[in-house]
Amino acid sequence: MTLDATEDLTHDDFLGGKIAIWQPRRGYRAGVDPVLLAASVPAKAGQSVLELGCGVGTASLCLAARVPDLQVTGVEMQQAYAILAKRNAQENTLPLTVVIADLCALPAPVRQERFDHVIMNPPYFDRSEGTASDDIGKDVAFAGETPLRTWLDIGARRVGPRGYLTLIQRMERLPEVLDALAGRLGAVIVRPIAGRAGRAPELFLLQARQEGKTPFRMAPTLVMHSGETHIGDQESYTPEVTRVLRSGADLHIWH
């Protein structure tokens, strides 16, 4: 897949225009989820971050825009997306080193390093339970060939002492995630994400810590939209979500 022509791309603002991201006009397009992921990472200036499957760099760059002086590395197997991630980092003047590699074959410099934070937005769907998309980029982003358990195993291995793993995933895969992390990372916190109050959560944010001893906790549900139904074209995000999406505010998994 190549994304050489400008007409193949869009240039989209995130965080209220604090950063702008080049991404494919067709195929997988970053939306709200990577922004929520980035806002949930409790990173501090000077720390190191690894994003597995960074795509065009949206989550990593949103995080770098919020927290200064981070050392951010993104791994992306699709060359076209990785090239865009490098371009986005350069044009937004943010620190992101992009490594083009399959997460199952990380290069030695990444394998030999442990990070303060590992973040990921793994494919939401199990390849064995669906049909591949005609668009390669979209197919890899939404399903891919690498099992979720492998993502979690590789991510857990890269978390340094007292470091954090933070991810976003579909709610029906929560048991699979918890099972994969059992005995690996502790102090697990899950924050469900629902479209509106009273609706069942469709997604969740999860954070776990190396050497963490705190018992499992379920945080209050993050409600994305105000009101019972969508009305016209007006934006209906709740105040908490608006601060995250438009101002680059923190999104605490645990209050």
Side-chain angles (χ1 to χ4, degrees):
M1 178 181 62
T2 59
L3 297 169
D4 298 325
T6 302
E7 58 267 24
D8 293 335
L9 306 173
T10 63
H11 200 214
D12 304 305
D13 286 344
F14 287 81
L15 307 183
K18 289 184 178 180
I19 63 173
I21 299 292
W22 290 102
Q23 58 181 334
R25 187 177 300 277
R26 301 175 185 82
Y28 174 73
R29 292 177 53 78
V32 172
D33 296 359
V35 184
L36 297 179
L37 172 63
S40 304
V41 181
K44 298 178 181 179
Q47 290 187 326
S48 60
V49 180
L50 172 67
E51 182 180 8
L52 297 178
C54 70
V56 299
T58 307
S60 286
L61 295 175
C62 284
L63 176 56
R66 177 170 63 84
V67 183
D69 301 322
L70 293 176
Q71 302 169 42
V72 187
T73 301
V75 175
E76 175 55 47
M77 68 175 292
Q78 297 187 85
Q79 184 174 9
Y81 285 79
I83 290 172
L84 288 177
K86 293 180 181 180
R87 177 180 179 182
N88 288 328
Q90 181 177 18
E91 292 188 7
N92 286 285
T93 320
L94 289 169
L96 172 61
T97 299
V98 181
V99 177
I100 304 175
D102 189 316
L103 63 89
C104 294
L106 294 176
V110 179
R111 289 199 317 272
Q112 294 167 1
E113 184 173 353
R114 298 178 72 190
F115 298 81
D116 296 305
H117 299 274
V118 175
I119 69 174
M120 63 176 75
N121 181 6
Y124 284 161
F125 303 101
D126 189 333
R127 159 58 58 240
S128 65
E129 298 180 1
T131 303
S133 169
D134 292 336
D135 184 283
I136 295 175
K138 182 182 290 186
D139 182 68
V140 171
F142 284 117
E145 299 296 334
T146 304
L148 179 56
R149 180 175 288 273
T150 302
W151 280 78
L152 296 166
D153 176 65
I154 294 170
R157 291 175 184 272
R158 302 274 62 78
V159 179
R162 303 297 292 166
Y164 292 88
L165 171 71
T166 307
L167 64 91
I168 188 168
Q169 183 55 247
R170 286 184 64 83
M171 182 56 73
E172 62 263 31
R173 306 198 77 177
L174 177 57
E176 187 179 353
V177 172
L178 293 176
D179 182 63
L181 294 179
R184 305 291 301 278
L185 301 175
V188 176
I189 304 171
V190 172
R191 188 168 191 189
I193 303 173
R196 296 184 186 275
R199 295 189 182 179
E202 296 182 354
L203 301 174
F204 66 88
L205 288 158
L206 180 144
Q207 197 164 85
R209 195 170 192 183
Q210 185 69 256
E211 305 169 24
K213 303 299 183 183
T214 307
F216 173 86
R217 292 177 288 175
M218 183 73 75
T221 298
L222 174 67
V223 177
M224 295 294 296
H225 297 277
S226 301
E228 296 181 358
T229 59
H230 180 67
I231 301 175
D233 294 330
Q234 66 188 31
E235 190 171 281
S236 61
Y237 290 119
T238 59
E240 181 178 17
V241 173
T242 297
R243 288 191 293 271
V244 170
L245 299 183
R246 304 296 176 236
S247 302
D250 294 351
L251 178 62
H252 300 290
I253 290 185
W254 183 259
H255 292 277

